[in-house]
Amino acid sequence: MDYFYANSIFLICFSPIIGTIVAKLVIYLAKKDVSLMLKPLECNVCCNPLHLIEKIPLFSYILMKGRCKFCDNLRTPIYFFSELSSLLVLITILSTSKSLIFSQFILFYSMALFLIGLSIYDILTKRLPDMATLPFLLLGLSQSYWLHNIDFQDSVFGAVAGGLITALVATAYHKLRGNIGIGWGDVKLISAFGAWIGWQLLPLFILFSSVSGILFILLRLIALRRSNIREQIPFGPFLCMSGWIIWLQTLN
């Protein structure tokens, strides 16, 4: 038991560093600039390299109040988001999963890191690439053979139902309003999660995702004290968070 707690504390302390690596990799993929992988962390406003204290994962953003020491402007919270998410998912895995073995831990945490990266990509580019969502869908369909958490038929029906229903909603909204409400990347991601969690949990998944997205928008409006109805809020992060939490519960 002492060995378990010692390993847990080490992983919790190390997880924000993993979040930093994920954010840096996704920013490189989003901007398609190879030099970004070799550059030190820098301010996204003045582009000056960050001081050592500003590179401390998670805590530096809090201590510096999100501001650059050089220009005193607010830095992008992407790294903070990735570091905090990496920490929270690790704590969730350790606290909710019973009799966790190493292979299960790797699976749960790897999937969470993939979804964190996908969320960051959606935040930066406002799109979810097929090269990520389609393999994720195929993995969801195949999981029933090696995890045995849901039936294969439920997985297939979940993928079809999730994709079909949201595609109809997206098409109807576009025809009625003339603009995009749900992107096709979101449709494919919902279909993928339908494969991972099965059709029975699809209503809960969509409800949880929608409520968390609405709460975020309301809290953001209160914090910024301004509204912009034309501003696009990526839905991918809320889908990823809700889907991962619900999928984790299917394994317990």
Side-chain angles (χ1 to χ4, degrees), residues 124-178:
L124 293 174
T125 66
K126 302 297 189 296
R127 56 184 291 266
L128 295 166
D130 290 346
M131 63 180 295
T133 55
L134 295 183
F136 187 56
L137 170 59
L138 295 177
L139 283 174
L141 291 172
S142 64
Q143 66 159 341
S144 58
Y145 285 107
W146 36 274
L147 289 181
H148 306 292
N149 58 327
I150 60 174
D151 293 332
F152 179 70
Q153 294 87 343
D154 292 338
S155 180
V156 172
F157 191 58
V160 173
L164 184 60
I165 292 171
T166 49
L168 290 174
V169 171
T171 303
Y173 185 91
H174 181 66
K175 287 186 176 297
L176 291 173
R177 300 294 299 272

Side-chain angles (χ1 to χ4, degrees), residues 34-222:
V34 123
S35 65
L36 292 174
M37 290 297 294
L38 305 175
K39 287 181 180 179
L41 297 180
E42 60 183 28
C43 173
N44 63 297
V45 180
C46 65
C47 297
N48 281 305
L50 301 179
H51 281 81
L52 180 60
I53 190 173
E54 294 176 293
K55 295 179 183 179
I56 300 173
L58 200 60
F59 295 104
S60 62
Y61 198 85
I62 299 173
L63 293 174
M64 302 298 295
K65 297 181 180 178
R67 295 188 176 276
C68 172
K69 192 173 182 180
F70 281 105
C71 64
D72 198 39
N73 286 311
L74 285 172
R75 289 158 42 205
T76 176
I78 288 295
Y79 283 101
F80 179 76
F81 166 79
S82 184
E83 293 157 3
L84 180 61
S85 298
S86 178
L87 174 63
L88 291 178
V89 297
L90 182 61
I91 293 173
T92 302
I93 292 170
L94 294 175
S95 61
T96 62
S97 301
K98 301 174 183 178
S99 304
L100 192 67
I101 61 176
F102 182 72
S103 59
Q104 290 174 322
F105 169 77
I106 293 297
L107 172 64
F108 299 165
Y109 197 40
S110 298
M111 182 177 174
L113 292 177
F114 166 77
L115 294 174
I116 290 170
L118 192 61
S119 299
I120 294 173
Y121 195 93
D122 193 20
I123 292 170
L124 293 174
T125 66
K126 302 297 189 296
R127 56 184 291 266
L128 295 166
D130 290 346
M131 63 180 295
T133 55
L134 295 183
F136 187 56
L137 170 59
L138 295 177
L139 283 174
L141 291 172
S142 64
Q143 66 159 341
S144 58
Y145 285 107
W146 36 274
L147 289 181
H148 306 292
N149 58 327
I150 60 174
D151 293 332
F152 179 70
Q153 294 87 343
D154 292 338
S155 180
V156 172
F157 191 58
V160 173
L164 184 60
I165 292 171
T166 49
L168 290 174
V169 171
T171 303
Y173 185 91
H174 181 66
K175 287 186 176 297
L176 291 173
R177 300 294 299 272
N179 55 2
I180 297 175
I182 301 176
W184 289 108
D186 296 325
V187 171
K188 294 168 189 174
L189 184 57
I190 292 171
S191 177
F193 272 118
W196 280 92
I197 64 177
W199 65 271
Q200 298 93 333
L201 292 173
L202 264 178
L204 178 62
F205 163 60
I206 295 174
L207 176 64
F208 191 12
S209 303
S210 302
V211 170
S212 58
I214 292 171
L215 286 176
F216 172 80
I217 293 172
L218 291 177
L219 291 174
R220 190 171 183 272
L221 292 178
I222 293 171

